[in-house]
Amino acid sequence: MKSRYIKRRKKFHYIIISVTIIVCLLGTVFTSLAILDSSRDLLIANAVNELNTKMDYIKNGIVTSPNNSYNEYVALINENVDKGNTYFQLTYDNDMTITTDNVLTVHYNDINGGILDMGTENYIRFDVLKNLLSDNEYKEICGYLNTPTDNDGNYYILICKKFYESEKYGYVPCQLEVLKTNKVNDWYVQDEVVKTYSFDLSKYDYLTIEELEASPFENDEMHRNIIDKDFFLGKSKPKYSQKDVEKILSDNSLFTDIYDETGAVPDGIFKYYLLMGDCLYYTENHMINNSPNEYKEVTRVFHITSLKEINLLDDCLWKFITVFAVAFTIMAVVITVEIFSWKDFKRRTAQEETRLEMTNAIAHNLKTPLFVIGGFAENLKNEKDTEKKLHNIEIIQQQTEEMDILIHRMLDLSRFDSPALKLNCEVFDFKPFIEKILENYYVHTEHEIIFIYNSKAKIKADPAMLKTVLENLIDNAEKYSDYGSDITINVSDDVLSISNQCSSFDRENLSKLWQPYFRAAKGDNKSGSGIGLSIVKSALEMHGFKYKAEFENGIITFKFRFTSLD
């Protein structure tokens, strides 16, 4: 009946834990899917607005300045674009395509004939800049730009001191300078020119003859035409090229006509490609045959294509972590509560079993002397022989003393297990303390007691409680030692051990010795209550002393490590 109850209780705990885990996992999955879905809709909506805003900016720039050069379109389409996950392409005149390539949009100042021109919007190509420099020169400039700011706040920058403007390649530098500057510096003339790099552009195909014959642009004494550090170090390379976008479009035929429909193309669980397109038709009047009175309408068609990568994991990661943390916390709390509840149930069950065993043991231990006392008391009433009366009285007294010892040990066990009991620890010499206890055993015991003491340390303990511990251990050794064998008490290195030979002991009972009312040899004729070692265990635990029992080669040893003061 009891076994079935324990099994039902155990099954109940397993059901609660299993249901909690399943509910938490399902809740985590559904919550994560909801987060993923809402984040996807929000990020796509934000990306659509972002791309529309950029495309409107490009269209407005084309309409307001229809005669812009190729370079100005490139600068326009590359301005303020996060090239890490965004791509733009502008196609016009059916034969020219401009994309967000590895270029830097710049707005440079130049001085020509003493007049400062506030500059125009254009671009610098990374491949052009890299090709003008030798490998050693490029590494040298990288070394300057990677040098951290010194204690005085000085750092290095790279500027485009002189440059030409090319219809095909944008701004082409003919002189670069590495400057040592500071945040407190406002003008170019305040900086220190560390290194100058000049290039003969006639050796390259970046400029036409007409462009090369023009005077180069040059920054004035105030402004610095700074080349972005990350751009020069190659950190601003775009993630997507025209071939990448064409492949994405071809792999997703549903959205190939992006000028009619915005498409969010999934790429795995967390990644999406947002593809958009728009057309701009711009009509203008062109003269015919240079006649001021003859015009014709010419329509220019601009196709704007855009792609943006949306990574949901970047937005949802901490939300997922939070959801999983909450679910894990709930599972951990429920499982912990159930484990402690199960342990508490097992502890109470074990206590109930121990209480039942103790009740039976107490009844058994008290029944025998009471039976003997009752029998001899009955005989005493009818006995007239004085010698037999004295014998009966002696037996009654002996059984009464045994009952008194048993009751006192039961009270000791109850007292040691009480949380109200406090230790009265003192520091004293351990050797004379043990010798005084052994004086009472040398006379009455049939076994030889060998006392070995190899320590000069003083012990810190409750003398009365430690006396009870030693007496119980010695009594136990004396009671269960083989006939004629020795009892050895050894103190060495803060460890006390009491050993005796006990060939009848069963090794399987070693772990049960500390249980109340357990007797390893119940069928023998040795008197005892089975409480002594339980008292020892409680007293040593109150002191915080580590203890154990060992059985090797027919010899059983009880030992504990005490707290000493050198």
Side-chain angles (χ1 to χ4, degrees):
M1 184 71 178
K2 181 179 178 182
S3 176
R4 287 201 304 270
Y5 174 68
I6 293 176
K7 287 181 179 179
R8 286 199 305 270
R9 185 63 180 263
K10 190 174 184 179
K11 184 178 179 181
F12 174 73
H13 286 289
Y14 282 148
I15 290 173
I16 292 178
I17 292 175
S18 301
V19 169
T20 301
I21 292 174
I22 292 172
V23 170
C24 287
L25 290 178
L26 289 176
T28 301
V29 170
F30 286 118
T31 304
S32 300
L33 291 176
I35 291 173
L36 205 61
D37 191 58
S38 61
S39 295
R40 180 195 61 212
D41 294 341
L42 180 60
L43 290 176
I44 289 177
N46 290 337
V48 169
N49 291 332
E50 178 186 341
L51 296 182
N52 278 328
T53 301
K54 177 63 178 178
M55 286 195 284
D56 288 341
Y57 170 75
I58 296 172
K59 288 189 291 185
N60 290 334
I62 293 173
V63 171
T64 55
S65 302
N67 296 318
N68 281 355
S69 68
Y70 172 78
N71 293 345
E72 289 168 329
Y73 285 142
V74 176
L76 190 67
I77 202 170
N78 282 281
E79 187 179 27
N80 300 324
V81 175
D82 180 6
K83 297 179 183 180
N85 61 2
T86 309
Y87 169 90
F88 281 97
Q89 176 181 310
L90 179 64
T91 303
Y92 70 103
D93 286 349
N94 297 322
D95 60 356
M96 184 174 288
T97 300
I98 303 170
T99 66
T100 45
D101 199 355
N102 192 12
V103 297
L104 173 68
T105 298
V106 293
H107 190 83
Y108 279 171
N109 298 281
D110 68 271
I111 186 166
N112 195 349
I115 300 175
L116 176 64
D117 184 352
M118 295 309 293
T120 57
E121 197 170 45
N122 212 315
Y123 70 95
I124 290 180
R125 288 178 53 155
F126 179 81
D127 56 346
V128 172
L129 187 61
K130 184 72 166 59
N131 192 44
L132 292 174
L133 295 163
S134 66
D135 290 342
N136 289 335
E137 289 175 331
Y138 181 76
K139 290 179 181 178
E140 185 179 37
I141 297 175
C142 289
Y144 281 119
L145 298 182
N146 284 320
T147 302
T149 304
D150 63 18
N151 294 331
D152 296 327
N154 299 316
Y155 58 95
Y156 297 98
I157 60 173
L158 178 67
I159 71 163
C160 186
K161 175 65 174 174
K162 295 181 181 180
F163 55 93
Y164 287 89
E165 188 172 22
S166 166
E167 176 66 22
K168 187 176 181 179
Y169 293 99
Y171 285 154
V172 181
C174 60
Q175 184 175 317
L176 300 176
E177 287 184 350
V178 175
L179 304 180
K180 188 175 184 180
T181 187
N182 198 296
K183 288 184 178 180
V184 299
N185 293 0
D186 296 322
W187 290 8
Y188 165 76
V189 293
Q190 295 177 287
D191 300 330
E192 176 188 348
V193 178
V194 178
K195 193 70 178 284
T196 300
Y197 303 88
S198 299
F199 315 108
D200 184 2
L201 296 183
S202 62
K203 298 179 180 179
Y204 301 90
D205 297 330
Y206 298 135
L207 300 172
T208 64
I209 296 175
E210 292 78 9
E211 291 169 343
L212 192 59
E213 289 176 349
S215 299
F217 299 98
E218 182 178 359
N219 65 288
D220 65 328
E221 294 184 350
M222 179 177 179
H223 299 89
R224 310 179 187 93
N225 292 331
I226 300 175
I227 296 177
D228 183 72
K229 174 182 174 181
D230 287 341
F231 171 78
F232 185 83
L233 297 176
K235 297 180 180 179
S236 298
K237 292 182 179 179
K239 185 173 183 179
Y240 296 103
S241 65
Q242 186 174 2
K243 290 183 179 180
D244 295 327
V245 178
E246 289 174 353
K247 185 175 186 306
I248 294 171
L249 289 171
S250 62
D251 291 344
N252 299 274
S253 57
L254 179 63
F255 300 111
T256 53
D257 193 2
I258 59 175
Y259 300 102
D260 294 331
E261 181 181 1
T262 299
V265 182
D267 180 35
I269 300 176
F270 300 108
K271 189 183 293 185
Y272 279 81
Y273 297 117
L274 183 64
L275 301 170
M276 294 180 61
D278 201 356
C279 296
L280 173 63
Y281 298 89
Y282 181 76
T283 302
E284 55 187 349
N285 294 323
H286 284 202
M287 284 190 305
I288 302 176
N289 298 325
N290 294 323
S291 173
N293 297 319
E294 297 182 38
Y295 293 90
K296 69 174 181 178
E297 288 187 350
V298 177
T299 301
R300 302 176 69 184
V301 182
F302 296 85
H303 296 280
I304 306 173
T305 304
S306 63
L307 174 144
K308 186 174 182 65
E309 181 191 270
I310 300 171
N311 193 337
L312 300 182
L313 192 59
D314 292 339
D315 184 68
C316 299
L317 181 59
W318 282 107
K319 297 176 184 177
F320 288 158
I321 292 175
T322 303
V323 171
F324 278 98
V326 171
F328 178 79
T329 302
I330 293 173
M331 287 191 292
V333 169
V334 172
I335 292 173
T336 302
V337 170
E338 289 301 312
I339 289 175
F340 277 104
S341 176
W342 171 248
K343 287 184 177 181
D344 182 66
F345 169 74
K346 288 182 66 177
R347 180 182 58 79
R348 286 187 283 107
T349 303
Q351 287 178 343
E352 187 65 28
E353 292 179 353
T354 302
R355 187 159 40 249
L356 183 61
E357 291 177 359
M358 290 177 63
T359 303
N360 293 336
I362 292 171
H364 175 76
N365 288 332
L366 293 178
K367 185 177 80 170
T368 301
L370 285 174
F371 177 78
V372 173
I373 290 172
F376 279 90
E378 186 69 27
N379 293 336
L380 190 62
K381 287 196 294 185
N382 302 322
E383 187 63 57
K384 295 181 180 180
D385 189 335
T386 303
E387 186 175 344
K388 288 185 177 182
K389 282 185 177 182
L390 292 174
H391 174 70
N392 290 339
I393 292 172
E394 183 180 349
I395 296 297
I396 291 173
Q397 289 176 336
Q398 181 182 350
Q399 293 298 318
T400 303
E401 289 175 359
E402 288 187 8
M403 285 185 63
D404 183 64
I405 293 173
L406 174 61
I407 290 171
H408 276 86
R409 290 200 170 181
M410 290 169 58
L411 292 174
D412 284 341
L413 179 62
S414 176
R415 181 168 61 91
F416 287 145
D417 286 338
S418 172
L421 181 63
K422 303 295 181 183
L423 293 174
N424 296 313
C425 291
E426 300 176 8
V427 178
F428 54 89
D429 291 329
F430 202 18
K431 185 177 181 180
F433 181 82
I434 299 175
E435 289 175 340
K436 185 170 183 62
I437 294 174
L438 292 178
E439 289 177 359
N440 297 325
Y441 290 93
Y442 287 136
V443 179
H444 301 98
T445 183
E446 61 183 17
H447 302 278
E448 182 178 354
I449 297 177
I450 302 173
F451 179 42
I452 303 172
Y453 196 90
N454 293 321
S455 177
K456 297 181 180 179
K458 293 185 177 182
I459 188 171
K460 182 179 180 181
D462 184 324
M465 198 174 293
L466 190 60
K467 182 174 182 293
T468 302
V469 168
L470 294 177
E471 287 177 346
N472 276 285
L473 289 175
I474 296 171
D475 288 343
N476 190 74
E478 184 183 25
K479 188 179 299 181
Y480 293 102
S481 291
D482 291 346
Y483 180 77
S485 62
D486 299 335
I487 298 173
T488 302
I489 301 174
N490 190 342
V491 179
S492 178
D493 296 330
D494 299 345
V495 176
L496 181 143
S497 62
I498 298 179
S499 304
N500 63 281
Q501 187 170 337
C502 184
S503 56
S504 62
F505 182 75
D506 188 352
R507 188 183 186 85
E508 294 181 356
N509 294 324
L510 193 63
S511 61
K512 302 177 183 179
L513 289 175
W514 308 102
Q515 297 178 5
Y517 299 101
F518 175 80
R519 296 185 62 192
K522 295 182 179 179
D524 59 20
N525 57 358
K526 299 180 184 294
S527 61
S529 62
I531 301 177
L533 291 180
S534 297
I535 295 173
V536 171
K537 172 178 176 291
S538 298
L540 293 178
E541 287 179 350
M542 286 191 66
H543 281 82
F545 296 168
K546 294 182 178 180
Y547 60 91
K548 65 177 179 178
E550 298 174 346
F551 183 71
E552 295 290 340
N553 301 322
I555 296 177
I556 187 167
T557 303
F558 295 91
K559 59 175 61 176
F560 65 88
R561 181 178 295 277
F562 53 86
T563 302
S564 66
L565 296 175
D566 293 330

